[in-house]
């Protein structure tokens, strides 16, 4: 397996020329780099004007590896070739390195660059990327790979310290300024030294973590920003974050998740990039389908929840985390489920989680340190067998499942207070649905144990402990109580309400089977109307087509295939002939699993337009072109004859549409790790508009 590394941008608040002078002092060897034994110059050349200087060295490394492994490999040292290309005029240094030892068994490639900061010419940026392909190593591939990654991570961490050490050495020698290079023909050159500027650039990269600004999606992450807003990460963790973020920028169209949320998914998967990417993409699909990004603006909390839901936000804990208080023992869970339904409670809990994310961002700015999760105090006084009502437990389990999947690593600590005897029964029911890492954050106190040493005061300041827990803080969390039975919904009313909430999204889902396409009928009364669409290929590969017919098709028929469910309907009559009864108005487009398609079509004639998604049987020989991962495929367990799409369509008047004349699928992106690279198509039989 190929291991890859990508560093954040590291910023030195020194001019490029001074940084290069410090960097060159590590050759031919440096006592600060124990594994760097020696280096010999293989070749060296310069351009006629002296602007470009290229030097190639053979470097000897003494890798810290077990003696037995070195004896088996038959070597004491490893040899690498490093090529440095210095462009004094452009003020860049590019470093290319590769391994000479065991090159037939292991391939190591590294690229580093020193460049001038884009917004402050007196600052220098450093970036580093590398890859390692361990093909074979005397049966010790795993051991050798771990040693190599550990050594590389250590050298990365120490890199900035080494440059800063030689900068101080230059300063002690009285060298605080080195003039920029000028062509020999330039008559005027700077003759006097000037101090190194101390003004801060207005851009993204800053000299201290306190000055770092949040990154926009188009920006590269710099090390100070990561430290200030995301926390301390080791070099390999930084690399995973940057690579996942870059992949999202390249393939995901639409709103990108914030860096803090991307990091949560990586932490929840122990920084396994592939698993985190798949989990994050499934969440992005879920958020898009249920419009979760707009939940805080659109969710109108019912008055009944204001009155009887005994939970709310309350200051923060000693670590600065937002604090949520839940008086579960005082809450009538049965009454809330009977009066509001499971879907309404789920929406409310989702709004609480969205509010928690917002509060984490606010507290990060308020306390000047990364805060990515919140704490929760659950008071169980009053918990009894009524809370074990089966539909209520079922609703609780579903809520836990949804939150666990879509809000990983958001719970910093959970304090369960005054746990009664019935609590172990409830815990036995819900604990299997809670992630092991999350369970480790649970602290359970029986009776009044929370008031003793190791209790509430260890985690929450006394001034913020609620009055009902023996503190002095006024807590605005509702006291709960029994929901009047007069507010209960009948089974039919509850089912209709839940159906309304469940389907309260502009996106619909449909299944596409082999031999049973999904078709959508759009009636157009005026030509030049615009049919727009936005769909994601959630599972399998499909072919998307658009047809036109002057004849009204038969009412849609739904296919019922044995053993296969899902929304699926056909509009085109089986007796119709293409070219006579209906015609294709856009060239068919193959859409791969994981791709997101946005587009539009300007209608030429009134009549009936049919959007069709049909099954695409991918040839086995083309499967290797997709970036598929074994563990992801195993988890999906997809039928080879079933596809799934999530779609939204709308018809606009031509005057109301704001787009650009383009092709059918020029806005074409991948939201799943199983999709190939971002693709586009220019195939179109008529003018169409694609929203970007």
């Amino acid at each position: 397996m190929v291991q890859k590394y990508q560093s954040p941008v590291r910023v030195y608040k020194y001019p490029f020329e001074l940084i290069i002078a410090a960097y060159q002092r590590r050759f031919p060897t440096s006592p600060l780099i124990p594994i760097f034994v020696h280096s010999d110059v293989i070749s060296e050349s310069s351009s006629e004007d002296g602007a470009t200087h290229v030097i190639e060295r053979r470097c000897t490394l003494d890798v810290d590896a077990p003696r037995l492994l070195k004896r088996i490999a038959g070597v004491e040292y490893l040899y690498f070739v490093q090529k440095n290309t210095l462009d004094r005029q452009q003020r860049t240094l590019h470093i290319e390195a590769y391994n000479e030892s065991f090159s037939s068994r292991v391939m190591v490639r590294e690229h580093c660059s020193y460049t001038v900061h884009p917004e402050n010419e007196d600052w220098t940026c450093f970036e580093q990327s590398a890859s390692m392909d361990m093909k074979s190593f005397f049966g010790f591939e795993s051991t050798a790979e771990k040693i190599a990654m550990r050594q590389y991570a250590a050298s990365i961490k120490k890199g900035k310290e080494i440059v800063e050490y030689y900068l101080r050495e230059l300063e002690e020698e009285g060298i605080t300024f080195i003039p920029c290079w000028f062509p020999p023909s330039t008559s005027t050159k700077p003759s006097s030294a000037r101090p190194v500027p101390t003004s801060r650039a207005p851009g993204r990269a800053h000299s201290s973590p306190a000055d770092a600004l949040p990154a926009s999606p188009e920006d590269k992450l710099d090390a100070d920003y990561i430290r200030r807003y995301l926390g301390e990460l080791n070099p390999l963790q930084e690399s995973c974050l940057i690579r996942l973020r870059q992949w999202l920028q390249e393939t995901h169209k639409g709103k990108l998740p914030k860096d803090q949320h991307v990091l949560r998914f990586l932490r929840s998967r122990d920084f396994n990039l592939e698993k985190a990417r798949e989990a994050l993409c499934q969440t992005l699909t879920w958020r898009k389908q249920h419009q979760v990004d707009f939940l805080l603006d659109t969710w109108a909390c019912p008055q009944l929840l204001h009155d009887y839901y005994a939970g709310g936000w309350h200051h923060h804990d000693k670590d600065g985390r937002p604090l949520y208080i839940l008086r579960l023992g005082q809450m009538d869970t049965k009454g809330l489920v009977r009066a509001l339904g499971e879907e309404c409670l789920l929406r409310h809990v989702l709004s609480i989680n969205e509010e928690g994310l917002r509060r984490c961002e606010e507290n990060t700015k308020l306390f000047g340190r990364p805060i990515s999760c919140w704490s929760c105090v659950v008071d169980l006084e009053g918990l009894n067998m009524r809370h074990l009502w089966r539909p209520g437990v079922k609703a609780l389990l579903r809520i836990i499942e949804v939150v666990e999947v879509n809000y990983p690593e958001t719970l910093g600590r959970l304090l369960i207070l005054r746990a009664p005897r019935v609590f172990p029964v409830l815990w036995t029911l819900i604990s299997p649905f809670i992630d092991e890492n999350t369970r480790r954050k649970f602290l359970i106190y029986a009776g009044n144990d929370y008031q003793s040493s190791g209790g509430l005061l260890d985690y929450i300041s006394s001034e913020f402990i609620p009055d009902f827990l023996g503190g002095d803080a006024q807590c605005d969390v509702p006291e709960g109580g029994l929901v009047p039975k007069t507010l209960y919904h009948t089974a039919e009313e509850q089912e209709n309400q839940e159906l309304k909430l469940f389907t309260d999204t502009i996106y619909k889902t449909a299944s596409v089977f082999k031999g049973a396409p999904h078709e959508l009928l759009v009636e157009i009364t005026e030509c030049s109307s615009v049919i727009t669409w936005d769909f994601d290929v959630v599972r399998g590969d499909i072919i998307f087509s658009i047809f036109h017919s002057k004849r009204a098709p038969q009412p849609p028929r739904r296919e019922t295939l044995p053993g296969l469910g899902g929304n699926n309907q056909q509009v085109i009559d089986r007796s119709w002939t293409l070219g006579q009864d209906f015609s294709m108005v856009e060239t068919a487009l193959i859409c791969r699993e994981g791709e997101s398609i946005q587009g539009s079509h300007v209608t030429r004639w009134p009549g009936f337009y049919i959007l069709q998604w049909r099954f695409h049987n991918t040839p086995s020989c083309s499967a290797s072109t997709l970036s598929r991962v074994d563990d992801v495929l195993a988890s999906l367990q997809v039928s080879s004859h079933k596809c799934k799409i999530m779609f939204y369509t709308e018809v606009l008047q031509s005057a109301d549409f704001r787009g650009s004349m383009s092709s059918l699928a020029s806005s074409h992106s991948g939201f799943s790790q199983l999709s190939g690279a971002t693709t586009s198509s220019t195939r179109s039989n008529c003018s169409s508009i694609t929203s970007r």
Side-chain angles (χ1 to χ4, degrees), residues 180-196:
C180 297
W181 181 89
F182 284 87
S185 59
T186 304
S187 58
T188 305
K189 297 183 181 179
S191 56
S192 60
R194 54 183 176 83
V196 176

Side-chain angles (χ1 to χ4, degrees), residues 519-531 533 545-553 571-572 576 582-586 601-612 651 686:
E519 295 170 345
L520 184 68
L521 181 65
V522 179
E523 184 176 2
I524 298 296
T525 57
E526 296 180 2
C527 61
S528 297
S529 296
V530 183
I531 304 172
W533 57 82
S545 307
I546 305 177
F547 302 96
H548 172 262
S549 175
K550 296 180 180 179
R551 296 171 53 186
V571 173
I572 299 176
W576 283 11
F582 67 108
S583 59
M584 182 181 291
V585 295
E586 289 279 8
H601 174 79
V602 180
T603 60
R604 289 186 176 182
W605 317 278
F608 300 92
Y609 286 80
I610 302 165
L611 277 61
Q612 182 192 76
V651 178
C686 67

Side-chain angles (χ1 to χ4, degrees), residues 283-524:
T283 289
L284 293 177
T285 303
W286 171 80
R287 294 182 71 89
K288 181 177 180 179
Q289 181 176 8
H290 298 286
Q291 304 177 76
V292 179
D293 289 332
F294 310 104
L295 189 60
L296 289 179
D297 298 325
T298 59
W299 169 244
C301 183
Q303 186 60 43
L304 194 146
L305 281 175
H306 282 296
D307 297 337
Y308 295 100
Y309 188 88
W313 294 100
H314 178 77
H315 299 289
H316 55 81
D317 67 7
K318 286 186 175 181
D319 295 321
R321 297 165 174 159
L323 181 62
Y324 191 83
I325 306 292
L326 182 64
R327 304 184 67 178
L328 184 60
Q330 304 298 315
M331 194 184 304
D332 182 9
T333 53
K334 180 178 180 179
L336 289 174
V337 173
R338 291 289 301 274
L340 293 171
E342 183 180 320
E343 290 297 328
C344 183
L345 288 176
L346 176 59
R347 284 291 179 94
H348 184 60
V349 172
L350 294 181
S351 71
I352 292 171
N353 280 270
E354 290 295 307
E355 175 67 16
L357 296 178
R358 187 184 65 80
R359 287 174 178 261
C360 285
E361 293 180 22
E362 292 177 351
N363 284 19
T364 295
K365 298 174 183 177
L366 179 65
F367 293 103
R369 61 178 182 271
I371 295 173
S372 61
C373 53
W374 53 82
S375 293
C376 183
V377 172
V378 179
D379 181 20
L380 295 183
E381 186 181 48
L383 189 77
N384 53 45
M385 294 302 294
R386 178 184 175 86
H387 292 86
L388 300 182
W389 180 59
R390 187 171 179 178
V393 174
K394 173 177 170 288
L396 177 62
L397 293 178
R398 184 181 171 218
I399 289 171
I400 291 174
E401 184 179 15
V402 172
V403 171
E404 278 283 299
V405 170
N406 298 292
Y407 298 91
E409 295 296 315
T410 53
L411 181 66
R413 185 180 295 115
L414 181 69
L415 303 171
I416 299 176
L417 311 182
R418 302 195 277 199
R421 291 183 179 181
V422 75
F423 173 71
V425 180
L426 180 63
W427 179 250
T428 301
L429 293 172
I430 67 174
S431 60
F433 294 86
I434 301 174
D435 180 73
E436 184 179 351
N437 290 333
T438 304
R439 288 203 300 269
R440 294 195 190 103
K441 303 171 184 176
F442 284 37
L443 297 174
I444 303 172
Y445 302 88
N448 293 322
D449 290 350
Y450 69 91
Q451 295 177 340
S452 58
S453 176
L456 213 54
L457 277 172
D458 284 17
Y459 305 104
I460 303 173
S461 300
S462 57
E463 59 184 309
F464 294 143
I465 295 179
D467 47 9
F468 63 86
L469 292 175
D472 300 325
Q474 183 69 31
C475 186
D476 297 329
V477 174
E479 295 184 0
L482 293 176
V483 177
K485 291 186 178 181
T486 54
L487 299 178
Y488 285 11
H489 287 158
T490 65
E492 183 179 356
E493 289 173 337
Q494 190 168 317
E495 184 178 349
N496 292 337
Q497 180 68 14
E498 293 199 1
L499 182 62
K500 179 180 181 298
L501 282 168
F502 182 75
T503 57
D504 187 18
T505 169
I506 60 175
Y507 288 88
K508 296 179 173 59
T509 59
S511 296
V512 179
F513 306 106
K514 191 172 184 179
H518 180 73
E519 295 170 345
L520 184 68
L521 181 65
V522 179
E523 184 176 2
I524 298 296

